[in-house]
C-alpha cells in the first residue's frame, strides 16, 4: 500500500474515531436526560461524592475534558467551590479510562453491523428514545471502525528504523515518552484518541510496554490543555480549577516515574495472570494509574486548593447561591417561623437583584466582560432561589395559617415572582450590551449619560423597595411608588430625545434600538419594584 493510502486511512480513521466518541457521548447525554449539570451540582457535597459524580458524568460525556470544562463553568458561575471541583476533576480522570477498557474489548470485526444497527434505529424509527439509543450504538460502532482504520494506517510503522529507534529512546528515557504523549494529545485535543492510538501501536508490536507507558502518562497531562483553554478569560476560581487539573496530573506522572520499574513489573505481572490482550493491558495500566493517583491525592484536596490559590492570587467574589434559611422542620412545627425563614431568603434573593443591576450598569459603562459574567451569575442565583423559595412557600401553604401569616405568605409569593422577573430584565440588558459590542454599535455620549442617569434612579428605587420589604415600612414603600413615576416620566422623555438624535443623524438606527430596549427594561424593573412596594403596603395595613 502506498504512503498516500496509509495517510488517508490513518487520518480518516482518526476522524471517524473522534466522531464516534463525540456522537456516542451526545447520545448518552440524551439517554441520561441531559441532567449532567444538576448531577454535578447536587452530588458534590464532599470530595468523595465529587469523585463519583465526576466519574459518572465523564462516562456519559465520554471525555474528561468535557467534564472539566463543565465543572469550570459551574465554578465560574459560583455554583461550585474549588474543593468540590477538585474532587470532580479527580473523578473525571478515572472516568476517562472507561473508553480505553471499551477499546480493549476487541469487537472491531463487528463494527460495521453495529453502525448499521445504530443507523436503523436513528432513521427507521420515529420514537425519540430509540433514536437516542441508535445514536449511542452508531457512535460505538464508528469508534471501533475508526480504530481499525487507524491500525491499518499504522502497520508499516514497525518496519521503519526511525520509529524503532524512537521507541527504544522512549524506553531508555521515559520523560521523552511523556513529552511525546503530551504533545500528541494537545494536537488531537482528545486523550481517548491518543490512548486508542497507543493501544493500536502496542497491539501491533510497534512499541514495547516500557516505551508505551510513559506515552500514556503524557496523554494524561496533554488532556489538561482543554481545561486551561476553557479557563482563559474566566473567573479566578475557574483558573484555579484548571490549574488544579494540570498539577494533579503532573504530580501523578512524577510519582509513577519515580517507581516506574515497579509499575512496569506490576502491569506485566497482571497481563500474564489475568491473560490480558495487549490493548486491555494498556487500559489496565491507565485505570490503575488514575485510580492510584486519585487515592493518593484525595486526602490532600485542601493542600491542592491552597497551592493553586497561592499560584493564582486574587480575591474571588463567591455567590452563595444555595439557600441558607429554608429549614423544612419549621414547616410542621411552626409555620410562622418558617415564613420568617422564607422572608430572609427572599431578602437574599432581592439583594442579588440589586447587585446584578449594579453589575450590568457597570458593564454598560465600561464594557468589561467580568461585570457581565457577575450579572449573569446573580441572575442564575436568583433563578435557583426562585425555585427553592417557591417550593418552600407551597409546602407552608398546606398548613393552617393565621390571617396575618396568610397575608405575609401572599406577599412573599408575589415578591419572589417580581424579583425573578427583575433578574430576567438584567439578563436582557447584558444581551443588549453584548449585541452593541459584537456589532460595533456606537451610542453617543449623551445617550450613555442618559442611560446612566436612569440606571442610578432605577437602582435607588429597587434598593428602597427591598428596604421597605425588610422593615415592612409603608412610608418607604410609598416613596418607591413616587420614584417609579419619575422612572416612567424619564423613560418617555429619553425615548423622545433619542428619536430626535436619530433623526438628526447623531445616532444610528441600530443604536436607537439598543437604547430604547435598555430604557424599556429599566422601566419594567421599576414596575416590579413598585409591585414589591405595593405588596408591602398591603401587608402594612
Amino acid at each position: 500500500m502506498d504512503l498516500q493510502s496509509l495517510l488517508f486511512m490513518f487520518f480518516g480513521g482518526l476522524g471517524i474515531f473522534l466522531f464516534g466518541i463525540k456522537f456516542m457521548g451526545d447520545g448518552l447525554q440524551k439517554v441520561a436526560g441531559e441532567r449532567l449539570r444538576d448531577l454535578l451540582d447536587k452530588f458534590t457535597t464532599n470530595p468523595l461524592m465529587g469523585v463519583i459524580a465526576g466519574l459518572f458524568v465523564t462516562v456519559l460525556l465520554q471525555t474528561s475534558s468535557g467534564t472539566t470544562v463543565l465543572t469550570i463553568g459551574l465554578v465560574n458561575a459560583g455554583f461550585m467551590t474549588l474543593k468540590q471541583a477538585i474532587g470532580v476533576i479527580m473523578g473525571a480522570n478515572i472516568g476517562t479510562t472507561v473508553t480505553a477498557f471499551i477499546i480493549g474489548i476487541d469487537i472491531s470485526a463487528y463494527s460495521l453491523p453495529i453502525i448499521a444497527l445504530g443507523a436503523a434505529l436513528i432513521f427507521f424509527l420515529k420514537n425519540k428514545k430509540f433514536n437516542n439509543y441508535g445514536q449511542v450504538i452508531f457512535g460505538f460502532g464508528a469508534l471501533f471502525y475508526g480504530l481499525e482504520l487507524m491500525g491499518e494506517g499504522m502497520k508499516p510503522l514497525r518496519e521503519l528504523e526511525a520509529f524503532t529507534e524512537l521507541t527504544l529512546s522512549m524506553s531508555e528515557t521515559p520523560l521523552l515518552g511523556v513529552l511525546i504523549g503530551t504533545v500528541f494529545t494537545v494536537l488531537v485535543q482528545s486523550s481517548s484518541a491518543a490512548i486508542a492510538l497507543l493501544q493500536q501501536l502496542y497491539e501491533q508490536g510497534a512499541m514495547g510496554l516500557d516505551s508505551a507507558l510513559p506515552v500514556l502518562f503524557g496523554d494524561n497531562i496533554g488532556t489538561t490543555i482543554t481545561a486551561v483553554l476553557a479557563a482563559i478569560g474566566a473567573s479566578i476560581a475557574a483558573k484555579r480549577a484548571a490549574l488544579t487539573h494540570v498539577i494533579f496530573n503532573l504530580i501523578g506522572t512524577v510519582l509513577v516515574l519515580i517507581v516506574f520499574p515497579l509499575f512496569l513489573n506490576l502491569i506485566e505481572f497482571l497481563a500474564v495472570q489475568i491473560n490480558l490482550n495487549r490493548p486491555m493491558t494498556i487500559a489496565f495500566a491507565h485505570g490503575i494509574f488514575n485510580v492510584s493517583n486519585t487515592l493518593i491525592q484525595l486526602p490532600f484536596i485542601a493542600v491542592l486548593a491552597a497551592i493553586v490559590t497561592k499560584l493564582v492570587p486574587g480575591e474571588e467574589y463567591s455567590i452563595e447561591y444555595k439557600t441558607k434559611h429554608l429549614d423544612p422542620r419549621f414547616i410542621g412545627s411552626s409555620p410562622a417561623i418558617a415564613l420568617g425563614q422564607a422572608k430572609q431568603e427572599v431578602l437574599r434573593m432581592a439583594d442579588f437583584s440589586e447587585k446584578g443591576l449594579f453589575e450590568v450598569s457597570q458593564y454598560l459603562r465600561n464594557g468589561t466582560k467580568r461585570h457581565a459574567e457577575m450579572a449573569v451569575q446573580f441572575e442564575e442565583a436568583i433563578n435557583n432561589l426562585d425555585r427553592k423559595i417557591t417550593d418552600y412557600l407551597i409546602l407552608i401553604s398546606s398548613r393552617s395559617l393565621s390571617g396575618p401569616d396568610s397575608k405575609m405568605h401572599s406577599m412573599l409569593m408575589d415578591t419572589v415572582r417580581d424579583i425573578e422577573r427583575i433578574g430576567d430584565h438584567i439578563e436582557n440588558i447584558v444581551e443588549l450590551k453584548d449585541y452593541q459590542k459584537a456589532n460595533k454599535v456606537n451610542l453617543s455620549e449623551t445617550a450613555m449619560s442618559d442611560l446612566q442617569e436612569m440606571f442610578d434612579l432605577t437602582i435607588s428605587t429597587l434598593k428602597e423597595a427591598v428596604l421597605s420589604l425588610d422593615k415592612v415600612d409603608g412610608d418607604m414603600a410609598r416613596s418607591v411608588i413616587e420614584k417609579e413615576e419619575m422612572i416612567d416620566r424619564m423613560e418617555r422623555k429619553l425615548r423622545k430625545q433619542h428619536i430626535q438624535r436619530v433623526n438628526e443623524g447623531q445616532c444610528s438606527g441600530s443604536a436607537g434600538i439598543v437604547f430604547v430596549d435598555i430604557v424599556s427594561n429599566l422601566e419594567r424593573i421599576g414596575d416590579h419594584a413598585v409591585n414589591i412596594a405595593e405588596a408591602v403596603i398591603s401587608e402594612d395595613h
Side-chain angles (χ1 to χ4, degrees):
M1 198 179 289
D2 60 33
L3 179 62
Q4 179 181 298
S5 300
L6 291 171
L7 287 172
F8 283 2
M9 286 184 81
F10 172 72
F11 286 110
L14 179 62
I16 293 170
F17 177 88
L18 289 170
F19 171 78
I21 286 275
K22 177 77 169 63
F23 202 61
M24 183 168 74
D26 290 347
L28 284 166
Q29 284 184 67
K30 290 173 186 173
V31 169
E34 297 190 17
R35 296 185 62 82
L36 302 182
R37 183 184 171 117
D38 286 345
L39 184 77
L40 286 176
D41 178 23
K42 289 175 184 173
F43 299 102
T44 54
T45 47
N46 61 59
L48 187 58
M49 287 299 291
V51 170
I52 294 166
L55 192 161
F56 186 66
V57 170
T58 304
V59 169
L60 289 176
L61 285 175
Q62 281 298 297
T63 162
S64 60
S65 298
T67 305
T68 309
V69 169
L70 191 61
T71 304
I72 284 170
L74 287 168
V75 172
N76 194 41
F79 281 64
M80 189 182 284
T81 65
L82 180 59
K83 286 181 183 176
Q84 288 174 319
I86 293 171
V88 174
I89 288 164
M90 288 178 172
N93 269 36
I94 298 173
T96 195
T97 64
V98 171
T99 310
F101 279 102
I102 291 171
I103 291 164
I105 307 162
D106 187 14
I107 56 167
S108 54
Y110 304 100
S111 59
L112 290 174
I114 292 170
I115 289 172
L117 174 62
L121 289 173
I122 293 169
F123 293 107
F124 301 128
L125 293 176
K126 302 281 186 193
N127 189 301
K128 192 73 178 169
K129 190 175 180 182
F130 282 113
N131 293 161
N132 294 338
Y133 281 114
Q135 187 171 340
V136 174
I137 293 165
F138 186 95
F140 188 69
L143 182 156
F144 280 100
Y145 184 62
L147 198 61
E148 189 177 18
L149 288 177
M150 273 200 295
E152 287 296 317
M154 288 186 303
K155 272 183 181 174
L157 278 178
R158 59 186 167 189
E159 313 293 335
L160 289 176
E161 190 179 336
F163 187 78
T164 308
E165 287 174 4
L166 180 62
T167 55
L168 189 64
S169 300
M170 285 191 289
S171 62
E172 290 171 354
T173 316
L175 273 174
L176 177 62
V178 171
L179 180 65
I180 289 168
T182 303
V183 171
F184 184 74
T185 309
V186 167
L187 290 174
V188 297
Q189 286 285 291
S190 168
S191 61
S192 296
I195 291 163
L197 177 65
L198 190 64
Q199 285 174 297
Q200 289 292 301
L201 287 168
Y202 182 56
E203 184 180 26
Q204 293 169 9
M207 62 197 311
L209 192 61
D210 54 353
S211 52
L213 291 181
V215 177
L216 178 70
F217 308 145
D219 292 339
N220 260 34
I221 295 170
T223 195
T224 64
I225 192 67
T226 312
V228 171
L229 293 173
I232 293 171
S235 68
I236 291 170
K239 288 188 174 94
R240 287 170 181 165
L243 183 60
T244 303
H245 195 199
V246 177
I247 291 172
F248 173 72
N249 283 344
L250 279 173
I251 289 172
T253 301
V254 169
L255 291 175
V256 79
L257 287 177
I258 291 168
V259 294
F260 183 63
L262 291 174
F263 187 79
L264 180 62
N265 290 338
L266 171 67
I267 302 304
E268 286 175 338
F269 173 77
L270 284 174
V272 173
Q273 292 299 311
I274 313 175
N275 193 27
L276 300 174
N277 63 29
R278 290 171 82 86
M280 193 61 88
T281 302
I282 297 293
F284 262 78
H286 192 207
I288 291 167
F289 169 66
N290 278 317
V291 171
S292 303
N293 191 21
T294 299
L295 291 175
I296 290 166
Q297 295 194 56
L298 188 60
F300 302 104
I301 279 183
V303 178
L304 272 172
I307 290 169
V308 294
T309 303
K310 285 279 185 189
L311 291 172
V312 184
E315 283 298 314
E316 181 64 26
Y317 181 79
S318 176
I319 298 170
E320 187 66 48
Y321 87 103
K322 291 181 179 176
T323 57
K324 284 185 173 181
H325 305 98
L326 306 185
D327 191 333
R329 290 173 297 182
F330 288 126
I331 295 171
S333 60
S334 176
I337 293 176
L339 276 172
Q341 296 289 298
K343 183 181 176 183
Q344 290 304 309
E345 210 60 61
V346 171
L347 287 169
R348 281 188 67 232
M349 187 180 174
D351 182 55
F352 287 159
S353 70
E354 282 181 40
K355 289 173 176 170
L357 189 55
F358 173 76
E359 290 294 337
V360 81
S361 74
Q362 295 303 300
Y363 182 44
L364 185 71
R365 188 194 300 267
N366 56 37
T368 304
K369 196 69 182 169
R370 183 73 193 118
H371 291 301
E373 288 169 358
M374 287 299 295
V376 171
Q377 282 183 46
F378 281 120
E379 199 275 331
E380 288 183 345
I382 288 167
N383 285 343
N384 181 68
L385 289 180
D386 170 40
R387 289 191 298 270
K388 298 290 169 60
I389 296 169
T390 302
D391 290 345
Y392 191 74
L393 288 170
I394 288 168
L395 290 173
I396 293 173
S397 67
S398 65
R399 300 288 164 181
S400 179
L401 299 174
S402 66
D405 284 349
S406 184
K407 283 177 75 176
M408 183 188 231
H409 183 276
S410 297
M411 180 189 77
L412 292 176
M413 285 290 281
D414 291 341
T415 302
V416 165
R417 187 173 62 250
D418 280 303
I419 296 169
E420 192 277 329
R421 298 275 168 80
I422 289 170
D424 291 343
H425 289 298
I426 289 168
E427 189 175 30
N428 290 346
I429 298 170
V430 170
E431 288 170 359
L432 286 164
K433 179 63 181 179
D434 286 342
Y435 171 84
Q436 184 208 341
K437 286 177 69 178
N439 293 278
K440 296 183 172 55
V441 175
N442 289 319
L443 288 169
S444 67
E445 285 186 22
T446 309
M448 289 299 291
S449 176
D450 287 345
L451 284 176
Q452 286 305 323
E453 187 184 349
M454 190 167 181
F455 256 108
D456 292 341
L457 180 58
T458 309
I459 290 169
S460 169
T461 306
L462 179 58
K463 278 188 174 179
E464 195 160 3
V466 173
L467 198 57
S468 72
L469 172 66
D470 187 13
K471 308 288 185 190
V472 194
D473 188 322
D475 291 337
M476 202 177 285
R478 278 182 276 277
S479 170
V480 170
I481 294 171
E482 289 171 11
K483 279 189 172 180
E484 199 277 332
E485 287 170 359
M486 290 169 61
I487 291 174
D488 285 348
R489 287 196 297 272
M490 185 179 285
E491 188 239 0
R492 289 192 293 271
K493 184 182 83 171
L494 294 186
R495 276 176 183 269
K496 285 177 184 174
Q497 287 178 351
H498 203 71
I499 289 167
Q500 189 177 344
R501 280 195 294 270
V502 171
N503 289 338
E504 291 172 358
Q506 293 178 38
C507 284
S508 65
S510 300
I513 292 167
V514 171
F515 181 88
V516 168
D517 281 355
I518 291 173
V519 166
S520 178
N521 276 283
L522 289 173
E523 190 271 332
R524 293 296 297 138
I525 290 171
D527 289 345
H528 291 298
V530 162
N531 291 347
I532 295 168
E534 286 176 343
V536 171
I537 292 168
S538 172
E539 169 71 10
D540 194 34
H541 281 129

